[in-house]
Amino acid sequence: MELNDKLEILADAAKYDASCASSGAPKRGSEGKDGLGATTGMGICHSYTPDGRCVSLLKILLTNFCIYDCQYCINRRSSNVPRARFAVEEVVKLTQDFYLRNYIDGLFLSSGIIRSADYTMEQLVEVARQLRQVHQFRGYIHLKTIPDADPALIEEAGRWADRLSVNIELPTHDSVTRLAPEKSVHTIKLAMGSIRRKLDEKAEEPKAPNFAPAGQSTQMIVGADVSDDHTILNTAETLYGSYKLKRVYYSAFSPIPQSPKSVPAAPPPLLREHRLYQADFLLRGYGFTAGELMPQSGNLALDVDPKLAWALSNREHFPMDLNRADASMIARIPGIGLRNAKRLVDLRRLRRIRWEDLSRLRCSLKKLAPFVVTADYKPAQGAAESSILRRHLADQQPAQQMNLWPELQAA
């Protein structure tokens, strides 16, 4: 098979893995040195760092052959899809060529499982090793970790890669057992734990060898099983606490023709995935707990974002006086983010906050208006019922999600 044909198949097969952001990588470049690449360049990509930089990644699978038959996966053993496999040298060459053409700044490499977990992991590690040692590649590398692989291979992967990820795939043990019986949640968590221990060792001993400086991440598939958002967020909260993950990614399930009956025939609303990302950001950055965002079973509201939903359900905190409230509580006001919360606290050391200050900070005035008090403003609708505010502040109905396989809906 021609290299271009392999690239077309294996780049398309990699699109279902969402955990490819490049945040947290150390600054690294080749200016004035031997080698190739940097982690600070701009590119034509879909991955963004926390400071707003756009980083392009060559996102491919080493192969979409797989010995596993996970029911939700397009590349499962029983799936009728075109198959291809890169040689290690081909991935190395593609990465170099694409970088030199200014197409990419780094590599995201995953793979189906071939022969065994150890063999597959050896191939992934060899790609990263050759790029780093042989070709002095200084760009970003993200490697997908195979949970059943020998810990020594995972340790070596962390030596060459900026970030490692181990996909937990589904939020409950029962779902993994039913839809991916050849995988084990216990094994997946052991791999996550071994990565965390290595990261902790590096943090405690700075002179220790480098190990995945951008940390580890994971991915959960949304809508492939009956798990609701309450379950998903509680699982994510546990993963953050237990393994110090940088990110949990959420990927809306994409059914394909001839999918097994054990998975849904239709995808979940794409907006559900978006709401989970918003809620996850509140868990990581705003001090919310899963219990606050989802105190009961069910899914996140689709008509309002999770922070607004929380505010509407906790009216006893509002309207909040911006000249007295703590920064952590100001950040919980709909329409005010972490950065503006800090700016408001800094500003009130100089003078009292007025309504025009919120406008200058480009806060979402419509969203925050019912929830704040300033030196010259008090909301007229402060006593309005939450149901009325909800109708007033609800997002416009999004366009209907496109379906890649209309025949599934017809069935």
Side-chain angles (χ1 to χ4, degrees):
M1 185 180 291
E2 294 292 331
L3 187 59
N4 285 346
D5 297 328
K6 293 182 182 181
L7 182 60
E8 181 178 358
I9 292 172
L10 295 175
D12 182 71
K15 68 185 179 185
Y16 298 97
D17 200 323
S19 56
C20 66
S22 57
S23 59
K27 291 185 178 181
R28 185 192 305 118
S30 56
E31 185 176 358
K33 307 174 183 177
D34 293 333
L36 176 74
T39 56
T40 55
M42 298 292 290
I44 48 163
C45 70
H46 311 288
S47 178
Y48 292 85
T49 62
D51 60 357
R53 289 182 294 108
C54 184
V55 180
S56 56
L57 302 176
L58 173 60
K59 183 180 178 184
I60 56 175
L61 300 184
L62 186 68
T63 179
N64 64 342
F65 287 100
C66 194
I67 62 175
Y68 293 162
D69 201 33
C70 305
Q71 301 299 289
Y72 50 81
C73 182
I74 189 174
N75 299 315
R76 64 185 183 276
R77 184 177 63 239
S78 60
S79 182
N80 183 23
V81 296
R83 306 283 183 174
R85 176 182 173 183
F86 282 127
V88 168
E89 292 73 18
E90 289 175 324
V91 178
V92 172
K93 184 177 186 303
L94 280 171
T95 305
Q96 290 181 281
D97 289 349
F98 275 46
Y99 179 82
L100 290 172
R101 294 177 184 178
N102 201 30
Y103 291 166
I104 64 166
D105 297 299
L107 170 68
F108 174 89
L109 183 61
S110 184
S111 182
I113 312 301
I114 47 175
R115 296 193 190 178
S116 68
D118 282 351
Y119 176 81
T120 306
M121 197 70 222
E122 287 174 357
Q123 298 285 293
L124 296 173
V125 169
E126 181 61 15
V127 170
R129 188 198 67 79
Q130 285 195 23
L131 282 169
R132 293 289 195 225
Q133 278 199 323
V134 179
H135 302 284
Q136 299 296 304
F137 182 70
R138 302 181 186 277
Y140 178 84
I141 297 178
H142 182 147
L143 287 185
K144 187 53 59 68
T145 304
I146 312 301
D148 292 319
D150 190 304
L153 289 170
I154 297 178
E155 182 177 353
E156 186 177 2
R159 192 179 310 156
W160 310 123
D162 291 287
R163 175 171 287 182
L164 301 177
S165 57
V166 186
N167 282 356
I168 199 166
E169 303 292 12
L170 297 167
T172 68
H173 183 277
D174 290 343
S175 293
V176 174
T177 301
R178 185 171 63 88
L179 298 179
E182 293 155 309
K183 291 185 176 180
S184 166
V185 173
H186 177 68
T187 304
I188 293 170
K189 290 184 176 179
L190 281 178
M192 288 183 176
S194 67
I195 293 173
R196 175 182 173 168
R197 284 191 295 274
K198 289 296 180 183
L199 292 170
D200 288 343
E201 289 174 9
K202 175 60 179 175
E204 293 170 2
E205 181 48 67
K207 293 184 179 179
N210 283 339
F211 185 87
Q216 66 168 320
S217 60
T218 193
Q219 172 179 287
M220 279 191 280
I221 298 170
V222 178
D225 65 344
V226 297
S227 298
D228 58 15
D229 294 347
H230 172 84
T231 302
I232 291 172
L233 288 177
N234 276 280
T235 298
E237 186 175 58
T238 300
L239 292 172
Y240 280 125
S242 299
Y243 305 106
K244 291 185 178 179
L245 300 182
K246 290 292 187 179
R247 288 287 302 274
V248 174
Y249 291 86
Y250 307 92
S251 178
F253 173 65
S254 298
I256 61 171
Q258 301 177 354
S259 288
K261 294 182 179 180
S262 56
V263 296
L270 198 57
L271 186 57
R272 182 184 173 193
E273 176 189 295
H274 179 61
R275 294 299 187 214
L276 281 167
Y277 275 114
Q278 290 177 319
D280 185 272
F281 193 61
L282 296 178
L283 291 179
R284 289 184 291 115
Y286 286 74
F288 283 89
T289 65
E292 288 179 298
L293 296 174
M294 289 295 298
Q296 299 176 341
S297 299
N299 291 334
L300 293 163
L302 298 183
D303 59 331
V304 293
D305 66 76
K307 191 201 279 191
L308 177 56
W310 176 84
L312 291 172
S313 298
N314 293 270
R315 295 293 299 282
E316 66 273 13
H317 298 293
F318 304 102
M320 191 180 299
D321 190 341
L322 295 180
N323 287 294
R324 295 184 178 184
D326 293 337
S328 60
M329 290 303 296
I330 293 176
R332 291 188 171 212
I333 298 173
I336 299 180
L338 290 172
R339 186 176 299 177
N340 277 340
K342 182 180 183 304
R343 287 170 175 167
L344 289 169
V345 171
D346 291 341
L347 177 62
R348 73 187 187 191
R349 293 193 181 103
L350 304 176
R351 59 175 174 78
R352 292 177 61 78
I353 296 171
R354 304 177 65 83
W355 177 258
E356 64 180 15
D357 296 323
L358 300 175
S359 178
R360 288 172 180 168
L361 290 174
R362 298 183 180 181
C363 297
S364 178
L365 300 182
K366 177 184 176 182
K367 188 172 288 187
L368 64 81
F371 301 103
V372 300
V373 171
T374 67
D376 60 343
Y377 170 81
K378 187 174 183 179
Q381 66 268 52
E385 294 183 1
S386 292
S387 58
I388 297 175
L389 287 180
R390 187 179 188 126
R391 287 196 297 270
H392 177 66
L393 297 174
D395 294 339
Q396 294 182 351
Q397 288 295 318
Q400 186 175 0
Q401 181 179 350
M402 294 183 65
N403 189 354
L404 297 179
W405 291 283
E407 64 271 18
L408 289 178
Q409 298 296 333

